[in-house]
Amino acid sequence: MPQLRPALIAIALTLAVAATPAKAASEPAITVQNGRTQPVFSYADAIREYVYVESSVDSDSDGKLDRVRVDIIRPKESGPGLKVPVIMDESPYYDNSGRGNEGERKVYDPSGNPVKFPLFYDNYFVPRGYAVLNVDMIGTTKSEGCPDIGGKADIAGGKAVIDWLNGRAKAYKADGSPATADWTTGKAAMIGKSYDGTLAQGVAATGVQGLVTIVPISAIDSWYKYQRSNGVIYNHDYASWLANYVDTDPEPKCQAVRDKMDAEDGDDTGNYNAFWAERDYLKDVSNVRASVFAVHTVNDLNVKPDNFSTWWQALAERNIPRKIWVGQYQHVDPFDFEGRRDIWVDTLHGWFDYWLQGVRNDALTQPRADVQVGPTQWIKQRDWPAPFAVKVPLSPAPDGSLGLVPAAKGATASFTDVSLEEADMIADVGTAKPGRIAFTSGALPLDLRLSGTPTADLRVKLDQPTANLTALLVDFGDDTRVDWRRGQGITTLTEEDCHGDSTPADDGCYKKTVTNLVTAPAEIVARGWIDVQNRDSLTTSSPLPVGTYGKVKWQTLPHDYTFKQGHRLGLVIAGTDYDYSDEAGTGANVTVDLAKSRIIVPFVTAPTTMPKDKAKFHGPQQLRLPQPEQGFSFF
């Protein structure tokens, strides 16, 4: 017997070595090369499942806390032995308009399990060691409750999912048994365009632990700004309309919630009130602990660009780690920016790897801002707006000129607040029209790039208590520009390219796009609106005493735009903007004190040859303006 012991020990050791390490070695693990996770997990074999997370609200007043449907796809190997981070797209659109340029919707098998996840996130990131969650916003698709358009219920659903991923909330399987997220590290990102990105910002503003980064694309930071501009109403009773659109349940279910929104939205005044404060994430930005990769376009007149510029500034003031892309399209996802798809996917990949997987890469060493400065030209700079922008005051004169010298004391110009289309506001700028006043510079002596937010600063008197005012900054000069009005700036082609793996039910291939261009003699660059009675406060109406002058100062929408050498810069001041307001003109006669009115524009010299932010505009003196006695006004 003793002589057999060495042989038995050798056999035992051989079996022990062969049992677990050999199996473990055959299983994929998170793999990183060149600063990026690699696709080592099978997309076809991934686990596809769903749970219902219990939220903290009962939005439909049925006596039960709303449960949120969460569709999950994750690597087969994920579990207690291999925990993976989460990329989450929460949306109200999964069973109505769909997601992405091609309007993709979720698809389920006969058992209710998801087999198709919209967009490329699952195809690309699951093979690289991520779980992807498509979450139905409360009151939409397969979630319970009623949508409240940016309010408490909307935000509670996404927050509950983050809490569940970190063991702080309950979830249930279809059979009612408890569901645990023992397969995740608890680190989560939220991403999405429009409403989806808005939910990401709203959840981030709760300060929920576990949400480590967000990627809001064309997102709302304040629903008041989405539907108001300084008291001017874009659309009446919009919140209830949108709530009804995204909720595909029978209408009576949530009618009381919609009626309550109509009663509380303050459409009778246009003022900011408690309804809008509940839907204002900017006021809670101090709670944000997640990093932010923001994307917005300066011609987005759906979610207007002041929804990113003020959010971005607030993040900067708090030193939140951040990155930004600023495009020139309308309401378009960066995945569909011409020539930028591969760059976007790689940049997003690096960002998620850094924050969710702990990969040391170039996510924070690259310049902070990518900015589109022409139809096909992008530059990188260390921040946005351009750090070297100089605020230049432009003054209107009674002869219709626009320049650096204020008008003489006593100079005025008048118009009537009527509802006008913008095309009529800028037409025939050299001709007097009763509904607007217009001013233009001479030919510009060099390219000038606007980067940031212009400010309209007027002194006006009215013959009625209030009026709506519009300020337009216009580029007059033939040029080829992004045609953001047509197809939101893109045309979808038939040819596809692929990002990620595929199954017969869910491929990672999407149609390419090209930028729509237009050659035109003018372009409205910046727009801004105000109700004069909100000149001092958004919460309290203050009519301007009839026949007395008052200061009316407000910011236009931000922009990033190059005025070409030889073009003329125009300022149009008018009443109600028919294109962007539901309101009728007040009929008030508006007199503008030209001597004390101006528009202040942040300018840098245009980056026509310099790829970064080295070009500086040192101030108005750089323009070498001709003297007044030369007989013409020259900006």
Side-chain angles (χ1 to χ4, degrees):
M1 289 292 295
Q3 66 268 28
L4 296 177
R5 189 179 301 272
L8 291 172
I9 292 173
I11 293 171
L13 289 173
T14 301
L15 291 173
V17 169
T20 44
K23 182 180 178 183
S26 67
E27 293 181 352
I30 304 295
T31 302
V32 178
Q33 293 179 4
N34 301 318
R36 299 290 188 272
T37 51
Q38 299 300 303
V40 297
F41 299 95
S42 169
Y43 179 73
D45 294 337
I47 295 170
R48 294 163 173 84
E49 60 187 349
Y50 66 94
V51 301
Y52 290 94
V53 173
E54 187 174 82
S55 77
S56 60
V57 297
D58 176 14
S59 62
D60 54 8
S61 301
D62 66 354
K64 300 181 296 183
L65 295 176
D66 299 333
R67 291 187 178 183
V68 181
R69 167 79 176 222
V70 182
D71 290 311
I72 303 166
I73 178 170
R74 56 187 176 90
K76 179 183 64 176
E77 296 80 3
S78 61
L82 177 65
K83 295 179 182 291
V84 297
V86 165
I87 297 169
M88 171 175 154
D89 186 350
E90 182 185 12
S91 179
Y93 294 130
Y94 283 127
D95 69 345
N96 39 72
S97 63
R99 303 313 301 131
N101 186 40
E102 298 175 37
E104 289 190 316
R105 299 185 180 190
K106 292 181 180 179
V107 177
Y108 313 91
D109 67 16
S111 299
N113 290 306
V115 295
K116 180 178 177 62
F117 289 73
L119 306 177
F120 77 98
Y121 305 137
D122 57 309
N123 309 86
Y124 188 85
F125 285 105
V126 170
R128 289 165 168 80
Y130 290 84
V132 172
L133 276 56
N134 281 180
V135 179
D136 299 340
M137 189 186 83
I138 278 180
T140 69
T141 314
K142 293 180 179 291
S143 285
E144 298 174 349
C146 294
D148 64 356
I149 309 306
K152 179 182 177 182
D154 278 12
I155 304 309
K159 180 180 181 299
V161 176
I162 303 296
D163 283 334
W164 172 66
L165 294 172
N166 288 275
R168 299 187 299 267
K170 298 177 182 178
Y172 302 90
K173 299 177 183 178
D175 62 5
S177 61
T180 59
D182 60 357
W183 43 264
T184 180
T185 63
K187 289 185 176 181
M190 291 183 71
I191 186 172
K193 177 192 163 198
S194 197
Y195 210 141
D196 304 18
T198 301
L199 293 169
Q201 292 191 162
V203 174
T206 70
V208 61
Q209 293 186 351
L211 181 61
V212 298
T213 193
I214 62 172
V215 184
I217 301 165
S218 303
I220 298 166
D221 73 345
S222 162
W223 285 83
Y224 179 87
K225 286 192 301 182
Y226 180 55
Q227 284 302 305
R228 304 280 193 272
S229 174
N230 304 299
V232 174
I233 298 173
Y234 297 146
N235 302 284
H236 288 83
D237 291 334
Y238 179 84
S240 62
W241 175 87
L242 183 58
N244 197 35
Y245 174 77
V246 300
D247 185 356
T248 51
D249 291 318
E251 286 200 11
K253 175 188 172 185
C254 294
Q255 187 61 52
V257 175
R258 294 192 296 273
D259 290 344
K260 186 172 186 288
M261 287 192 283
D262 284 344
E264 295 178 350
D265 62 12
D267 276 0
D268 56 328
T269 64
N271 290 348
Y272 181 99
N273 59 18
F275 176 87
W276 300 107
E278 181 182 335
R279 294 157 173 81
D280 185 350
Y281 317 129
L282 184 62
K283 71 176 177 56
D284 296 323
V285 70
S286 60
N287 296 329
V288 174
R289 63 178 76 216
S291 62
V292 179
F293 183 179
V295 181
H296 218 105
T297 50
V298 290
N299 290 310
D300 189 342
L301 290 172
N302 175 359
V303 181
K304 298 176 180 63
D306 56 342
N307 277 279
F308 89 86
S309 59
T310 50
W311 173 263
W312 181 254
Q313 180 181 352
L315 296 175
E317 290 170 355
R318 289 157 180 80
N319 202 29
I320 298 294
R322 63 203 182 280
K323 186 175 181 63
I324 193 168
W325 277 24
V326 180
Q328 289 194 356
Y329 298 92
Q330 237 266 36
H331 199 57
V332 175
D333 192 289
F335 189 75
D336 297 309
F337 293 175
E338 182 184 1
R340 301 285 291 184
R341 182 169 291 182
D342 289 346
I343 299 171
W344 167 247
V345 173
D346 181 67
T347 304
L348 187 64
H349 184 185
W351 185 263
F352 283 156
D353 278 358
Y354 181 89
W355 290 105
L356 297 176
Q357 301 278 16
V359 177
R360 299 182 66 179
N361 58 27
D362 60 354
L364 294 185
T365 59
Q366 290 292 316
R368 184 173 286 145
D370 281 36
V371 184
Q372 187 178 15
V373 293
T376 60
Q377 185 181 8
W378 287 76
I379 62 170
K380 290 182 179 293
Q381 59 188 36
R382 61 181 175 86
D383 212 333
W384 191 91
F388 299 110
V390 174
K391 294 181 179 179
V392 179
L394 306 178
S395 298
D399 64 354
S401 63
L402 184 68
L404 299 173
V405 180
K409 184 177 180 180
T412 64
S414 299
F415 64 93
T416 303
D417 174 16
V418 295
S419 182
L420 280 180
E421 295 181 3
E422 289 186 344
D424 292 331
M425 290 182 184
I426 69 170
D428 305 318
V429 290
T431 302
K433 290 189 174 183
R436 67 102 204 269
I437 51 178
F439 311 89
T440 58
S441 73
L444 297 177
L446 76 168
D447 288 3
L448 284 178
R449 175 182 163 211
L450 182 165
S451 183
T453 304
T455 300
D457 185 355
L458 309 180
R459 186 169 183 261
V460 306
K461 70 175 179 179
L462 311 176
D463 65 356
Q464 296 185 25
T466 194
N468 295 325
L469 299 183
T470 297
L472 304 178
L473 191 64
V474 188
D475 176 22
F476 290 106
D478 285 310
D479 202 2
T480 299
R481 307 172 177 90
V482 174
D483 187 3
W484 52 269
R485 295 171 181 83
R486 178 168 59 93
Q488 304 200 57
I490 60 171
T491 292
T492 304
L493 307 177
T494 57
E495 181 185 0
E496 292 185 330
D497 58 9
C498 304
H499 293 81
D501 296 341
S502 300
T503 65
D506 190 344
D507 68 37
C509 303
Y510 293 88
K511 294 176 181 178
K512 295 181 179 180
T513 66
V514 293
T515 301
N516 293 336
L517 303 177
V518 63
T519 300
E523 174 78 355
I524 298 171
V525 177
R527 300 164 168 81
W529 309 277
I530 192 170
D531 183 339
V532 171
Q533 64 184 345
N534 289 107
R535 67 197 179 281
D536 298 321
S537 170
L538 295 181
T539 61
T540 305
S541 299
S542 177
L544 182 63
V546 172
T548 63
Y549 278 102
K551 185 181 182 69
V552 185
K553 184 177 181 180
W554 77 102
Q555 291 187 326
T556 72
L557 300 180
H559 215 290
D560 208 293
Y561 182 90
T562 299
F563 295 87
K564 300 287 184 65
Q565 180 179 357
H567 287 203
R568 294 179 301 140
L569 200 153
L571 170 64
V572 175
I573 304 171
T576 303
D577 190 328
Y578 176 86
D579 294 341
Y580 298 104
S581 175
D582 254 0
E583 300 188 37
T586 65
N589 185 67
V590 182
T591 301
V592 180
D593 179 353
L594 298 180
K596 294 186 177 181
S597 297
R598 58 187 184 163
I599 187 165
I600 304 163
V601 186
F603 279 123
V604 291
T605 49
T608 52
T609 57
M610 296 188 181
K612 296 185 180 179
D613 57 345
K614 297 179 180 179
K616 301 179 184 180
F617 175 56
H618 298 288
Q621 69 276 7
Q622 185 176 334
L623 296 176
R624 297 190 180 91
L625 302 177
Q627 298 301 313
E629 59 267 22
Q630 289 180 265
F632 60 99
S633 177
F634 199 15
F635 165 64

